[in-house]
Amino acid sequence: MSEKATTNHWSCGCVASDRRPKRNGGPSVGSPGGSDGDPVPMATIRFDVVVRITLGLLVFGVVFCVITGVLFQLESIDEKPCNVSNTMPVISSFLAPSPQRYVLRLCFALFSVPRFVVAYVYWLHYRRRECFVQVVSLSFYRRVVNWIFVLSLADITSLIGVIYISSTENFPVHAVLFMVFASVVQLYEYLMIKLFRWCYPVKNSYIRRSYAIKKLCFFTQLIFSTGMSYYYYLHHFYCVPGAISKFSFCEYIVLFLRMVYFYTGTYDLVDYDWVIVGRPVLRIDTADNHKTE
């Protein structure tokens, strides 16, 4: 089955096309004209650019916190309760000192807001491709698409909770949110891989690359997530020397793989635009008041 080049205009303001015309890239601003009653596009941003910018905010926040924490607040790395030395800082340790916690929380806030839009566009994208599904029933496919959307929202909200509720402020809530986040991420990535197999019977070079990266990230992340759980168990219950450092190493690998997995959105959503529609309108009564003054 071959996919025809079509253009779909979604009510959310996203535009999807199977073959993007060549252009100079980056955000583009629409013309101020337009017929009466028609929405006027103020700006158009490619969704692969949105994914790159969003991911860049996360990378900057994590790198800034790691470098400044190691250089200027190395004493916060040591694990005090077990009285064992830690040679690698745990990510949650950056949520206590300042200014790292403010920078990390700001970057995660800016990172999370566009992710809600990206999650919705993914939902639209998979619903758009349901006509290519052959190996499963259409009703089951739609249920899985809805599950992925819900899991994506749970992923984003639980991550926000992990970042804004540090382990030093409320450890039980922080631990529960982290376990929810880790479980949701694994299930979300697994179902995403399944959807790719169902709705892409014929894969172009972009989709093949995205599918291969997703599978590699999922299985590698599963291994290191298991390592995180094992070393956390050794550290929390037995205070084994070096266990917290190995936990931190697995944590950084999982975070890196999560970033790479999210980056595959630049391949999946390359045909989508974020169109900002509308223009500022002066109320008639306000304009009349100014004229009479």
Side-chain angles (χ1 to χ4, degrees):
M1 180 182 295
S2 61
E3 184 174 1
K4 297 181 180 179
T6 58
T7 302
N8 295 327
H9 298 269
W10 303 100
S11 58
C12 69
C14 301
V15 179
S17 62
D18 295 326
R19 293 183 182 177
R20 175 179 296 279
K22 293 183 179 180
R23 60 183 182 181
N24 294 326
S28 61
V29 179
S31 60
S35 59
D36 294 338
D38 294 335
V40 179
M42 297 179 60
T44 302
I45 307 175
R46 293 172 52 171
F47 251 100
D48 57 328
V49 175
V50 174
V51 173
R52 288 187 177 94
I53 294 175
T54 303
L55 186 59
L57 292 170
L58 176 60
V59 173
F60 169 78
V62 174
V63 172
F64 173 83
C65 291
V66 171
I67 293 178
T68 56
V70 171
L71 292 179
F72 305 109
Q73 295 172 322
L74 190 60
E75 68 279 0
S76 64
I77 296 176
D78 290 333
E79 182 65 22
K80 302 300 189 300
C82 279
N83 196 24
V84 294
S85 179
N86 180 17
T87 58
M88 186 174 294
V90 182
I91 294 179
S92 60
S93 65
F94 301 123
L95 300 177
S98 59
Q100 284 88 344
R101 69 170 178 266
Y102 302 117
V103 174
L104 194 61
R105 288 174 178 176
L106 175 62
C107 290
F108 265 90
L110 298 175
F111 166 75
S112 300
V113 172
R115 283 198 62 194
F116 286 104
V117 182
V118 172
Y120 182 58
V121 174
Y122 260 119
W123 180 82
L124 292 173
H125 174 67
Y126 285 124
R127 289 298 301 266
R128 172 175 171 254
R129 295 200 58 86
E130 64 184 18
C131 57
F132 298 97
V133 177
Q134 298 176 348
V135 295
V136 296
S137 65
L138 191 59
S139 60
F140 180 73
Y141 173 83
R142 289 175 176 173
R143 283 199 298 269
V144 175
V145 171
N146 293 333
W147 293 342
I148 285 183
F149 180 67
V150 173
L151 289 173
S152 181
L153 298 182
D155 169 17
I156 302 169
T157 53
S158 60
L159 180 59
I160 293 174
V162 169
I163 296 301
Y164 278 84
I165 303 176
S166 65
S167 57
T168 56
E169 295 173 344
N170 196 325
F171 178 78
V173 175
H174 179 85
V176 170
L177 288 173
F178 182 81
M179 288 187 291
V180 171
F181 168 73
S183 303
V184 165
V185 164
Q186 292 298 133
L187 182 57
Y188 166 81
E189 293 183 356
Y190 172 76
L191 292 178
M192 283 278 283
I193 293 173
K194 283 294 186 181
L195 278 188
F196 256 62
R197 293 184 59 185
W198 296 340
C199 67
Y200 281 103
V202 178
K203 301 178 178 63
N204 58 30
S205 59
Y206 277 94
I207 299 305
R208 285 197 301 268
R209 191 178 308 159
S210 176
Y211 183 62
I213 294 174
K214 280 180 170 62
K215 288 197 300 183
L216 178 62
C217 289
F218 170 74
F219 289 110
T220 309
Q221 186 173 320
L222 187 61
I223 295 173
F224 281 94
S225 296
T226 305
M228 283 179 57
S229 302
Y230 174 71
Y231 290 121
Y232 180 82
Y233 173 80
L234 293 180
H235 169 73
H236 186 73
F237 292 100
Y238 299 103
C239 289
V240 175
I244 188 62
S245 298
K246 296 175 182 177
F247 168 85
S248 301
F249 175 76
C250 294
E251 187 179 32
Y252 281 106
I253 297 297
V254 169
L255 178 61
F256 172 75
L257 293 172
R258 188 74 183 108
M259 292 179 182
V260 175
Y261 196 100
F262 183 73
Y263 182 79
T264 59
T266 60
Y267 303 127
D268 306 336
L269 306 179
V270 69
D271 294 323
Y272 286 80
D273 288 340
W274 189 351
V275 181
I276 302 176
V277 179
R279 58 183 174 184
V281 178
L282 182 64
R283 292 196 301 271
I284 298 177
D285 56 346
T286 305
D288 293 338
N289 292 335
H290 285 295
K291 291 180 180 178
T292 57
E293 289 180 358

